[in-house]
Amino acid sequence: MYEDDDYEDDLPKSKTKVKQEMHELQDLGKQLTELSKAQLAEVPIDADLQEAIDTLHRIKSNEARRRQMQYIGKLMRSADSEAIEEVLDRFKERDQQHLRFDKMAEDWRERLLQEGNPAQSDFFDRYPQADHQQLRQLVRDSNKEIKNNKPPTNRRKLFRFLRDFFMQEGQ
């Protein structure tokens, strides 16, 4: 007797299953169209699919864009969807990591500006490799901006300093 799993593998796919897979490939193709050129260059796709995506970006008509998306979905059938999904997952992971670094930088910036020296001491205890002098200068300049109701130039610099530090450290 056949086991259930073996038996199901021998059966042809239902129309519903085939349509579902085609929609998944179209969705994957749609994700590709939303990538920047630099990101798209990292994705393992063939020249035809690359050209179809480039063409889509030039099309203005909604109906023509819809047809082009269907064509991209068709080209996706012959593409290595698993490799493409791996690269897209890596991009998502990288984006989530950047959001986490942004959040950490924002939290530390607020804490450094509100609490002053105790927050700086705590930061340097946790991250002794940070540039103490530059951080102190940015905090001092940011506090002057706040006091004088100036535009947040140094606060932005402080944020970028903290974000870049966290990214470099891979926290």
Side-chain angles (χ1 to χ4, degrees), residues 49-146:
L49 185 53
Q50 175 72 45
E51 178 59 33
I53 292 170
D54 291 342
T55 301
L56 179 77
H57 292 297
R58 292 189 302 265
I59 296 174
K60 302 291 184 224
S61 165
N62 285 337
E63 181 60 21
R65 288 181 67 83
R66 184 191 65 77
R67 285 192 311 269
Q68 187 69 13
M69 278 306 302
Q70 286 181 327
Y71 177 63
I72 290 171
K74 179 181 176 185
L75 292 175
M76 289 296 297
R77 294 179 205 164
S78 61
D80 184 1
S81 60
E82 290 179 12
I84 292 171
E85 285 177 350
E86 284 180 26
V87 173
L88 292 176
D89 288 344
R90 200 170 58 235
F91 289 155
K92 287 177 190 172
E93 185 177 309
R94 194 182 317 161
D95 289 346
Q96 289 173 347
Q97 195 174 30
H98 284 284
L99 289 173
R100 197 177 94 236
F101 292 143
D102 286 352
K103 176 74 171 123
M104 288 174 65
E106 181 66 31
D107 291 346
W108 270 107
R109 178 179 67 175
E110 292 305 313
R111 187 167 170 212
L112 288 166
L113 293 176
Q114 290 175 1
E115 296 176 22
N117 288 335
Q120 285 183 27
S121 297
D122 187 26
F123 184 84
F124 294 136
D125 288 344
R126 289 188 191 191
Y127 309 106
Q129 66 278 25
D131 185 348
H132 294 225
Q133 183 178 357
Q134 186 176 4
L135 181 69
R136 284 192 175 107
Q137 183 66 42
L138 288 169
V139 169
R140 188 172 32 253
D141 292 345
S142 296
N143 282 327
K144 285 180 187 177
E145 279 180 352
I146 293 169

